[in-house]
Every structure is written in C-alpha cells, then in structure tokens.
Amino acid sequence: MSSQVQSTTPQPPNLEEVASKMRQEIQVKDMTYHLTKYQKVFTGTDATKWLIDQKYANTEEDAELLGNGMMAMGFFHHVLDSEPFKNGNYFYRFHADEGHGAPAKKSDGSDLSWSDLIKKMVFRDNSEGKNEEMNPNVPERHKENIIAPVGPTHTNESVSPLDEHNIKLLDCVHPPQWVNPTYDGYYNLVAIGGGAGGLVATSAGAAVNAKVAMIERHLLGGDCLNVGCVPSKALIKCARLAHEAKNSAEYGITATSVKVDFGKVMERMRMLRAKIAPVDSAQTKTKKGVDVYIGNGIFLDDHTIQVTDDQGKIQILKFKKAVIATGGTASLPPIPGLLQCPYTTNATLYNLEVLPPRMVVIGAGPVGLEMAQAFQRFGSAVTVLVRGQRILSKEDPSAAHILKEQLTKDGVEFKFGVDFQEITHVPKGENKDFPEITVSYKQNGEVQKVVCEVLLIATGRKPNVEGIGLEAAGVEFDLVNGVKVNDKMQTTKANIFAVGDCCMKYQFTHVSGTQGYLAMRNALFFGNNKVSSMLIPWVTYTEPEIAHVGLYASDLDERGIQYETYQKNLDDVDRAILEGETEGFVKIHVKAGTDKILGATIVATNAGEMISEITVAMQNGVGLGGIGAAIHPYPTQAEAIKGAAGLYSLTKLTPTVKVLLGNLMTFARK
C-alpha cells in the first residue's frame, strides 16, 4: 500500500485582514518632520518589520509588495500621497485614522463620485469699512437693492450640465456624502466659509501646526473658482479670439468665415475650471492638515458652532478663535416682476449651453461690462441698462470713457438714466431654448421696452450674513454692509474675525485671501496686521483692461492732498502702435514736489499685467524716479510706465537748470 504526500501551495494573505490586524498592532502616533506635525501615522520601517515578524513576508522586498498592495486597495496612503510603500522613514496613515474628513468610499475602496449617483445634485442657495489711507473711496452698496432670499424660480442653484467636467468639479468642491471628521476637542481656529478667505486662513493655520477647521455648505473655492474669476476669464479669452478673427483684415489677414461654437466655448470653460479645482478641493485641504466639514455651520455662542452635514448629522464644535468668511451673493434691484422672472446672475450664467440671441445687462460695473462685451463678441445683441449717467462709477472718468467707446464699437448698446418700471416674461415654450423677457423702463420721461432671452443682473453684491447665528455669537452686522469689523478684522467679539465680501467694500478674491492670512496671524499670534496697511490693486478684464492701484484724483482732491499727474498715452508707445492697440494710457499721481507715487490707472490690453510694477514700487517706497531709472525692454507696452516716469524727470529740468547746463556745455567746447 503506497502513501501519497499531497503538496499544498501557500495561499496569499487576505490583504484586508492583514491591514486590519496591522492597524491594531503597529505603533501609530503623531510624528514631526521638518517642523511639520503629522497626526496618527506609522513609518514604512515599522510596517516592514511587522510584516516580516508576523510571517506575512519573508524579505523586505516581499513586505514592500504587500504594502503597495494594501495601498492600492485603499487601506492606507502616504501622508503627502507622493511615495509608494517603502521600507524607510516614510510616513503613512490608515484611511480609518484620517481625522480631517474623507470622501465616502465605494465597495471596492475607491472614492465615491457624483458620477456614481443617479440623483442629480442640487445645492442650497448660499444666500438663505471704512476708507483706508492708500485705497480709494468706493461707492456704498445699494441700500435700495433687495436684501432678501431670491424668488421662486431661483430657490436652488444647480451646477449644470452634469457632464464629465462638472462631475470632476463637484467631486473636488462638494464631494458626495463626504465623511466629516469627528470632533475631538477645541480648535485653535474655525472658519465658516470655504472661499478664498476661509481657504487661506485655515491652510496658513495648519501650516504652523494649529488645530483648524473649515466649514462650507455649498462649493469650496467660493465664487471665484465656481462662478466668478475662473469661468469668466475662460470666456473672455474665447471672446477676444473671436473678435480678433472677425477684425483681422486690417492686419492683412482675411478670415472668410468666423463661427463661434458657443457650446464648445462653454465646454472648454468647464474643462479648465475642473482642471483648476483640485487646488481648492476638500481632499487637498485635508492633506494640509485642515479638518474639512461639508455642511451648514451656525454659531451657538461666541465659542461654539453647530455643523449639520448633508445627511443631517449634527456635531458641536468648540473653538478659541473663528473667522467668518461667508462671502456674498448678487443683490437684486427692487424692480416689479423681477422675482417672478427667470433672471440670471453670475451664479447661473455659466450654466448656459446655448448662446442667447439677445441679452440685457442691468448694471455697469466690472462683472456686467465684462460679460456684455464677451457675449456681444460671441454674437448676442447686448443692451446695458444703467440708472446713472456713466459706466464704472468708481473708475477714472477718462478710463471709463475709453472703455465705453470700445464697447459701443463692439456693438453693445447703452441706455443711461434708466428708471425701471416692470419686468415681465413669457415662459420658455416647447422646442425653445429660452423664455422671452421684457424690461420696461422710462428714459427722459418716455416709456421704453427692451426684449431679451437672457437678463443678467449685475448691480452689486450683498453679504452672506443671515442664517449663520451671528446674533447668538454677539457679532454685530447689518444686511447692507455685512459684519462690523475694526481695522484688525475683529468683529464686536474680539475672538471672532471676519474677512472678504461679508464685511469689505473691496470685493476681490485677492483681498479676501490676503485678509484670511492676516486674520489668522492676528487671531493665533496676537498680530497687529491692519486692513489699512493693505495696498489693493484691481482690474476690470474687458478689452482694453482697466487696472488701478492707490488713490484716484478725486480721492486726492477730497482729502486735500497736493499732487501732480504724469500721463503717457499709448498712441506714443511703439509696441502699442505696432499692435494696433493705441487707445489707452498710463496715468500716475505723485505727491507734489516729490516722486512718491499716490495712485495709478492703466488702460491697455494687458493693463492687469502692468499694474503690478507700480504696486510693488508703492509697497516698497520706490518713487516714480526709481521706476524711470530701471531699464525696460524695448518694445513693450510697459514702456508707457517708464514714459510717465520720464515726464516726471523732465520737470527737474527747470529754466534755471537748463541755463546752467547750457553754460556748462559752452565751457566744455572751449
């Protein structure tokens, strides 16, 4: 009788069981590397040793293969997601130990995406100081504008269409079923709002090892990423190219046919917006050490915030310091019928997929004019209705005049001195892309009407200050000007700060971000950073662009400051002449008798790229003479700045000096 010996092949270990056991037994603790503290991590060296000791691996190479297998299945990851699993002093963290919030997971361990969900996402509407030393006076917010929830056709703002690009965007800025961190003790700093101010304040706080949290109920990245700076500039680029193609004959280039594919233009915008979105994503911020809460944050008192997530789960957070960074939304003029009309604001404009034949813009500020020019160049017939008598009421009048002339040349029609009477509409019918909207107004005492398919409201912004519990926190605010703050950005509760559009007249992304950083320093390090120390440049991104920094002539007159003005027109600048872009100027104001720069306005195709030279000079005390002494490359339009400086230098050549120099030259010839 013979005996048989059966050979068995070792079965590979169950990686889920290995990972679970390793998490229970391996040393997980807080560790520091290069002054950065990483919470709840383990090293590759410890994990490799454990895998070998537990007989899951015979060699270091086998242990690394197992470790990378567990990483691929999503059980743990490198803290910076920049390294595979290695036997060395590399830091790794189990996903189960992530304390900053995490994406919901699918059964295979991968992140849940909006593309995995059948139901289309509909977001809640996010809408439920003083004059500074070197910054100009700006018009007050329109007190007569509607400061109330929007009408029945706009109770929800959706992101559409839900194509691959918008799904990628939403996965970054409002991940589906995001798992909020579990509160485990006082925060050094909590920010309500995930726009520029909140993002910068919390990221900067985490960078110095503060325990920080950010709460956002709508879209991370705020207006700038989602419905402001980013999408608008993508459209403006396309509109500029369309305009250049249509007007290329003067350059000796004949374009036989120029067709704008508006659907492709909008798809390109969505693609680029999604490409930029990861910078502001929930996942990126958690990797920086920020606890990210997706949900509605409400103050219960001056040290407590309640957070309710998308699934209705409530958590109570305690904090030492807080930053209100809730931003603003479009305000609405009190025109009869507006709330019942399917109007458009910046929050919904970028959902369009079909070019409207006609567009009416109410408002003549930067947003309204940028989009008026862009849509006119795409092929819409655009009319801008203005209550006052000029566009860009806060800008240099001569700059505004040049822009109006260009917009008129583009085909935009302006109606000034408008007294709005009523807005009516006929709903969108079958096989129609748009409703028909009629705006009735009086001009010079006569009733006029203009009909359009898209009505863009661009009459300013209102602060998001309602429904966040400011009363309970003891923070003073009003519905027009927002949160009341001092020069250090402190509210009426000294431990609570506010930044950005919810409290500032200077409503720019770069202002919100800078304030977020300064508020963090003031809150956590007893800083003395002041809003009045900020030198704020801004740009209107039309063609030509208008860029400004410092004080206007009207501000200087009002403050009784003696000044001199030096202006170089672009029709005297070689590069501008060669490019056919001669409508514009560089205008610089200096303190009388000195070269100290007090303010500047630039009108040029790329004025936004040029203004920084003057901003840096003003910030660092470099006078106009110093700018003139710097060599500027030829030919560039920036030579206009040097040209303005040259005009200042000529003032030094007084008649007396000129006579003395002439005598010196005469003597030198002898």
Side-chain angles (χ1 to χ4, degrees):
M1 188 172 176
S2 63
S3 63
Q4 266 187 331
V5 178
Q6 294 183 340
S7 63
T8 59
T9 301
Q11 296 298 311
N14 183 307
L15 293 185
E16 183 175 3
E17 293 178 359
V18 174
S20 177
K21 186 177 180 182
M22 185 168 76
R23 179 168 176 259
Q24 294 172 12
E25 298 182 3
I26 201 172
Q27 187 179 39
V28 175
K29 62 181 182 180
D30 295 349
M31 300 185 194
T32 300
Y33 180 73
H34 284 184
L35 300 180
T36 299
K37 184 178 181 180
Y38 298 93
Q39 297 180 331
K40 298 180 180 180
V41 297
F42 61 91
T43 67
T45 300
D46 289 345
T48 299
K49 183 177 184 302
W50 184 88
L51 289 168
I52 293 174
D53 290 346
Q54 297 298 314
K55 310 299 184 184
Y56 290 117
N58 295 321
T59 65
E60 293 179 1
E61 289 78 8
D62 290 343
E64 288 185 348
L65 286 173
L66 280 174
N68 281 301
M70 287 186 281
M71 285 184 67
M73 294 184 68
F75 297 120
F76 62 84
H77 68 104
H78 183 257
V79 290
L80 299 179
D81 288 333
S82 61
E83 298 288 346
F85 179 76
K86 296 180 182 179
N87 177 27
N89 193 34
Y90 299 94
F91 292 173
Y92 302 90
R93 182 184 294 119
F94 290 102
H95 280 291
D97 289 332
E98 287 287 359
H100 302 302
K105 298 293 182 181
K106 295 189 290 187
S107 58
D108 63 0
S110 62
D111 293 351
L112 182 69
S113 167
W114 286 109
S115 62
D116 301 313
L117 304 179
I118 298 175
K119 184 177 179 181
K120 181 178 177 180
M121 171 74 179
V122 178
F123 291 103
R124 292 184 293 270
D125 181 8
N126 208 28
S127 65
E128 287 186 10
K130 70 182 208 177
N131 299 327
E132 310 303 348
E133 180 183 352
M134 287 304 294
N135 293 309
N137 300 331
V138 299
E140 299 291 337
R141 303 182 199 241
H142 295 299
K143 295 180 174 60
E144 68 273 21
N145 277 10
I146 296 172
I147 308 296
V150 293
T153 59
H154 290 266
T155 52
N156 292 297
E157 291 174 358
S158 62
V159 174
S160 69
L162 272 186
D163 61 1
E164 59 177 310
H165 308 304
N166 275 343
I167 287 173
K168 181 180 177 182
L169 170 74
L170 293 175
D171 284 345
C172 289
V173 301
H174 196 113
Q177 301 175 23
W178 175 261
V179 180
N180 282 341
T182 301
Y183 173 72
D184 62 356
Y186 266 90
Y187 285 103
N188 297 107
L189 182 71
V190 174
I192 294 186
L199 289 166
V200 173
T202 53
S203 295
V208 295
N209 288 332
K211 184 180 179 182
V212 297
M214 178 174 61
I215 305 165
E216 174 56 55
R217 68 181 178 182
H218 193 45
L219 304 179
L220 291 167
D223 272 18
C224 181
L225 170 65
N226 298 290
V227 294
C229 322
V230 170
S232 65
K233 302 312 165 284
L235 264 60
I236 287 169
K237 172 63 176 180
C238 295
R240 182 173 291 188
L241 288 176
H243 176 74
E244 290 177 352
K246 292 174 183 177
N247 294 274
S248 60
E250 64 181 283
Y251 296 91
I253 300 170
T254 302
T256 56
S257 176
V258 178
K259 179 182 178 182
V260 174
D261 187 336
F262 187 73
K264 288 289 187 181
V265 167
M266 298 304 284
E267 183 182 12
R268 173 183 179 272
M269 176 276 292
R270 295 192 298 272
M271 177 190 68
L272 297 177
R273 180 173 61 181
K275 184 176 182 180
I276 293 172
V279 175
D280 294 338
S281 72
Q283 297 89 331
T284 297
K285 296 310 165 186
T286 59
K287 291 173 185 177
K288 291 180 179 291
V290 178
D291 282 7
V292 176
Y293 291 84
I294 301 295
N296 194 40
I298 299 176
F299 286 99
L300 300 182
D301 59 42
D302 58 357
H303 286 89
T304 312
I305 294 175
Q306 173 183 291
V307 181
T308 305
D309 68 16
D310 290 346
Q311 290 73 48
K313 181 181 177 181
I314 295 175
Q315 291 196 73
I316 304 298
L317 314 183
K318 292 284 188 178
F319 61 87
K320 294 294 185 180
K321 304 290 176 64
V323 173
I324 303 165
T326 49
T329 50
S331 63
L332 308 177
I335 305 173
L338 176 60
L339 290 180
Q340 290 72 44
C341 166
Y343 62 85
T344 299
T345 69
N346 69 295
T348 51
L349 179 67
Y350 304 106
N351 290 342
L352 289 176
E353 297 178 75
V354 178
L355 181 69
R358 297 165 294 185
M359 172 185 276
V360 168
V361 179
I362 296 181
V367 172
L369 295 181
E370 288 174 7
M371 291 300 98
Q373 186 177 50
F375 275 79
Q376 182 72 41
R377 289 179 167 187
F378 287 143
S380 298
V382 179
T383 302
V384 179
L385 303 179
V386 190
R387 287 182 291 188
Q389 296 299 327
R390 55 165 289 193
I391 65 172
L392 295 177
S393 59
K394 69 184 177 185
E395 284 295 351
D396 180 291
S398 54
H401 175 74
I402 289 175
L403 179 57
K404 178 186 174 295
E405 291 299 304
Q406 178 59 54
L407 290 172
T408 301
K409 183 179 178 181
D410 287 341
V412 176
E413 187 173 1
F414 288 93
K415 303 292 185 181
F416 293 99
V418 166
D419 179 13
F420 294 101
Q421 299 297 300
E422 184 184 23
I423 297 177
T424 59
H425 78 285
V426 177
K428 178 174 66 174
E430 190 175 349
N431 300 322
K432 288 190 176 182
D433 295 313
F434 300 98
E436 185 176 272
I437 303 170
T438 301
V439 182
S440 300
Y441 61 92
K442 281 186 178 180
Q443 188 181 39
N444 300 321
E446 295 185 7
V447 176
Q448 308 282 342
K449 292 185 178 182
V450 60
V451 180
C452 63
E453 284 73 32
V454 168
L455 173 62
L456 176 61
I457 305 297
T459 53
R461 292 171 64 77
K462 69 186 184 74
N464 291 331
V465 291
E466 295 183 277
I468 58 174
L470 295 181
E471 301 90 342
V475 173
E476 293 184 17
F477 70 97
D478 67 65
L479 300 182
V480 175
N481 298 305
V483 179
K484 182 179 179 180
V485 293
N486 63 18
D487 203 20
K488 297 181 183 180
M489 293 158 283
Q490 288 174 300
T491 69
T492 48
K493 283 292 181 179
N495 68 310
I496 300 178
F497 295 73
V499 301
D501 290 5
C502 70
C503 64
M504 283 287 289
K505 291 190 292 185
Y506 303 101
Q507 297 172 4
F508 307 102
T509 296
H510 46 285
V511 172
S512 298
T514 302
Q515 279 193 305
Y517 174 70
L518 297 180
M520 181 280 298
R521 292 181 59 178
N522 288 352
L524 300 183
F525 299 104
F526 309 102
N528 193 37
N529 300 282
K530 297 179 179 180
V531 173
S532 57
S533 68
M534 296 171 60
L535 181 63
I536 304 171
W538 60 65
V539 184
T540 297
Y541 295 94
T542 47
E543 186 179 21
E545 294 178 349
I546 299 177
H548 178 82
V549 66
L551 301 174
Y552 292 101
S554 58
D555 298 308
L556 296 167
D557 292 337
E558 183 179 317
R559 301 182 192 189
I561 299 173
Q562 298 297 310
Y563 65 97
E564 298 162 357
T565 300
Y566 300 96
Q567 178 171 323
K568 184 71 169 180
N569 293 329
L570 293 188
D571 61 7
D572 194 29
V573 176
D574 290 356
R575 181 64 180 272
I577 294 170
L578 296 170
E579 295 187 338
E581 298 171 350
T582 55
E583 293 298 323
F585 57 78
V586 171
K587 180 185 294 186
I588 302 176
H589 308 299
V590 300
K591 187 175 181 180
T594 76
D595 71 344
K596 180 182 179 180
I597 302 172
L598 301 175
T601 299
I602 301 177
V603 182
T605 299
N606 294 304
E609 308 296 336
M610 297 166 64
I611 197 67
S612 291
E613 178 179 0
I614 300 174
T615 305
V616 170
M618 292 179 67
Q619 189 75 46
N620 293 279
V622 177
L624 189 54
I627 290 179
I631 298 174
H632 289 61
Y634 175 89
T636 61
Q637 291 196 23
E639 278 193 295
I641 300 174
K642 185 177 177 66
L647 295 174
Y648 161 78
S649 298
L650 287 176
T651 64
K652 300 300 180 184
L653 192 62
T654 64
T656 301
V657 171
K658 198 169 183 179
V659 169
L660 290 174
L661 290 175
N663 292 336
L664 178 62
M665 292 300 101
T666 299
F667 177 78
R669 292 194 298 269
K670 293 181 179 179

